[in-house]
């Protein structure tokens, strides 16, 4: 069974159920003690009021200290983290060019004003391309019997699958799981804006012969959300594990990291391709999702840094995407080199975006790194 069995939702450790031990015992005790029992208990032991004058549990907390975050419930911290991320993002639509852009507020070198600068711009695929892509989707249907259990299991966030490559345990990696939850929500915000703006029809709207094996989601097809999220998580985990303070390194450490990258990329690609097998996505959706996921993972990691940062920016031109172009997950990124591949003609590297780090997110990244010695 998976190390993450019992984990539900995309909320990291706060969604975990069934964990026994001290925490579970405390929750059970709180449920069993009703208000009247607690009132009677206090009356029996407190006695007359004797003020201490100081907080008995800790020293006084200081305003704006990152360390304060460790005292709060993860469900409260998520609002702080999401606010920091989303307040730096802008989304614009250009109907004249069939494109949309996710931008980051760039910090100016000589002025205090912040200006949006493109992080990812995507142009919608043409109708002719989508009709050719539907032919590829039809061909993937031959794999449905072999992939059916995977496809159904991957309809919700794929914690069990990620945990099969990178050992993830709720008791050992609570902050890592919390970080994955932040990454998933960032990916969701980015992908849904593009899906809504670019309004690409699903494969079954081009042919009744597609007949998806699962319910087709009722939002746009491009880019693939599963691809975006899987590649976001894969790249976040790669960056996290590789930058964690390591123990004395054996000679095979570099080889192990390369293998880890290869498996995470292969896993993300398989998750994306399974959506094509299911009949709900085109290969172009998966390719665009991979690019968006790479960009968002880079953005999240750099926003968690403690210094000024920059990220790569990209343009995905669906207008020139070949209708016969398939997707393998190896087109855009080389895990052996840990760098983007030579870019295909439908992807262009833009000037990097420079921005200031966030105030609170570095705490989460630092705490998560401590879980990977």
């Amino acid at each position: 069974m998976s190390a993450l069995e019992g984990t539900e939702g995309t909320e990291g450790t706060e969604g975990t159920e069934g964990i026994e031990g001290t925490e579970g015992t405390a929750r059970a005790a709180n449920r069993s003690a009703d208000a009247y029992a607690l009132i009677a208990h206090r009356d029996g032991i407190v006695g007359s009021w004797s003020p201490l004058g100081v907080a008995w549990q800790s020293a006084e907390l200081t305003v704006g200290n990152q360390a304060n975050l460790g005292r709060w419930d993860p469900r409260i911290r998520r609002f702080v983290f999401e606010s920091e991320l989303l307040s730096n993002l802008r989304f614009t639509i250009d109907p004249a060019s069939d494109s949309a852009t996710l931008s980051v507020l760039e910090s100016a070198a000589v002025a205090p004003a912040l200006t949006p600068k493109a992080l990812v711009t995507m142009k919608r695929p043409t109708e002719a391309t989508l009709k050719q892509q539907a032919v590829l989707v039809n061909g993937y249907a031959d794999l449905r019997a072999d992939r059916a259990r995977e496809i159904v299991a991957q309809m919700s966030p794929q914690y069990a699958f990620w945990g099969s490559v990178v050992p993830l345990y709720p008791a050992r990696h609570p902050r890592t799981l919390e970080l994955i939850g932040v990454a998933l929500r960032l990916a969701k915000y980015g992908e849904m804006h593009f899906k809504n703006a670019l309004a690409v029809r699903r494969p079954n709207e081009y042919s009744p012969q597609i007949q998806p094996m699962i319910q087709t989601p009722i939002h746009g097809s491009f880019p693939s959300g599963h691809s975006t999220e899987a590649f976001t998580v894969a790249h976040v985990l790669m960056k996290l594990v590789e930058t964690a303070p390591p123990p004395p390194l054996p000679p095979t450490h570099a080889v192990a990291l390369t293998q880890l990258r290869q498996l995470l990329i292969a896993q993300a690609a398989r998750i994306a391709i399974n959506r094509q097998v299911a009949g709900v996505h085109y290969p172009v959706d998966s390719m665009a999702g991979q690019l968006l996921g790479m960009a968002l993972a880079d953005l999240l990691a750099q926003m968690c840094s403690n210094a000024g940062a920059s990220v790569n920016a990209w343009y995905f031109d669906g207008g020139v995407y070949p209708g016969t172009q398939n997707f393998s997950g190896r087109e855009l990124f080389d895990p052996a080199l840990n760098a983007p591949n030579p870019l295909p003609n439908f992807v262009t590297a833009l000037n990097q975006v420079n921005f200031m780090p966030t105030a609170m997110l570095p705490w989460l990244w630092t705490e998560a790194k401590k879980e990977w010695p």
Side-chain angles (χ1 to χ4, degrees):
M1 303 297 286
S2 166
L4 291 182
E5 183 172 359
T7 301
E8 299 180 356
T10 59
E11 309 307 322
T13 52
E14 66 264 33
T16 304
E17 298 179 353
I19 299 176
E20 299 299 329
T22 305
E23 184 180 356
T25 302
R27 286 200 297 264
N30 285 336
R31 288 194 296 266
S32 64
D34 62 29
Y36 288 104
L38 290 171
I39 292 170
H41 182 75
R42 178 186 183 277
D43 289 343
I45 69 171
V46 166
S48 59
W49 177 250
S50 178
L52 296 175
V54 295
W56 63 271
Q57 196 175 28
S58 64
E60 185 174 353
L61 303 178
T62 57
V63 173
N65 190 342
Q66 283 187 3
N68 296 344
L69 289 166
R71 298 171 55 87
W72 316 135
D73 189 298
R75 291 169 294 184
I76 303 304
R77 289 195 293 262
R78 64 173 284 190
F79 295 111
V80 175
F81 299 146
E82 289 180 20
S83 176
E84 286 194 326
L85 280 171
L86 299 181
S87 63
N88 282 283
L89 301 179
R90 298 290 184 272
F91 192 83
T92 55
I93 304 171
D94 182 7
S97 64
D98 285 339
S99 67
T101 299
L102 180 66
S103 299
V104 179
L105 292 180
E106 185 172 41
S107 57
V110 295
L114 298 175
T115 56
K117 186 171 180 181
L119 174 68
V120 177
T121 297
M122 290 189 180
K123 181 179 175 68
R124 182 171 65 176
T126 66
E127 291 290 299
T129 292
L130 294 175
K131 290 174 182 177
Q132 288 181 293
Q133 290 274 289
V135 176
L136 299 177
V137 176
N138 178 65
Y140 275 107
D142 291 341
L143 297 174
R144 288 181 183 178
D146 293 334
R147 303 274 187 106
R149 294 189 69 179
E150 281 183 60
I151 289 167
V152 172
Q154 291 166 357
M155 290 177 69
S156 59
Q158 301 88 46
Y159 283 99
F161 292 88
W162 298 320
S164 69
V165 176
V166 179
L168 291 169
Y169 299 91
R172 190 184 301 169
H173 304 109
R175 300 291 76 83
T176 299
L177 290 168
E178 189 175 349
L179 178 65
I180 290 175
V182 172
L184 285 171
R185 288 186 290 275
L186 173 62
K188 186 70 73 176
Y189 288 126
E191 77 202 32
M192 287 302 177
H193 271 296
F194 281 110
K195 284 175 176 288
N196 174 65
L198 300 181
V200 172
R201 293 183 178 91
R202 296 278 177 168
N204 64 339
E205 295 184 76
Y206 285 100
S207 172
Q209 290 183 296
I210 295 293
Q211 296 184 26
M213 58 164 285
I214 56 176
Q215 179 66 48
T216 302
I218 190 166
H219 48 255
S221 191
F222 178 86
S224 163
H226 271 66
S227 181
T228 301
E229 294 163 28
F231 279 102
T232 298
V233 172
H235 281 271
V236 166
L237 286 173
M238 286 190 291
K239 293 174 184 293
L240 182 69
V241 174
E242 290 172 357
T243 59
L249 299 181
T252 57
H253 184 72
V255 176
L257 289 179
T258 298
Q259 185 181 65
L260 173 68
R261 290 193 298 267
Q262 291 172 333
L263 288 175
L264 283 171
I265 295 302
Q267 182 183 77
R270 188 173 177 98
I271 290 169
I273 291 170
N274 279 345
R275 302 293 283 180
Q276 300 165 201
V277 175
V280 297
H281 276 295
Y282 314 94
V284 66
D285 297 341
S286 299
M287 192 84 72
Q290 179 180 12
L291 186 70
L292 181 58
M294 289 167 53
L296 292 177
D298 195 13
L299 176 68
L300 176 59
Q302 292 301 321
M303 280 190 170
C304 289
S305 70
N306 288 305
S310 63
V311 291
N312 294 323
W314 306 98
Y315 176 68
F316 188 97
D317 191 349
V320 301
Y321 191 92
T324 57
Q325 173 74 51
N326 217 319
F327 170 77
S328 70
R330 298 185 295 272
E331 292 85 358
L332 303 181
F333 182 80
D334 186 339
L337 298 178
N338 197 19
N341 271 326
L343 299 176
N345 71 313
F346 49 84
V347 174
T348 303
L350 306 176
N351 292 332
Q352 286 193 323
V353 183
N354 302 307
F355 55 89
M356 296 301 295
T358 53
M360 295 298 167
L361 273 166
W363 175 88
L364 180 59
W365 190 271
T366 300
E367 292 301 307
K369 284 202 300 185
K370 292 176 183 178
E371 297 172 347
W372 298 96

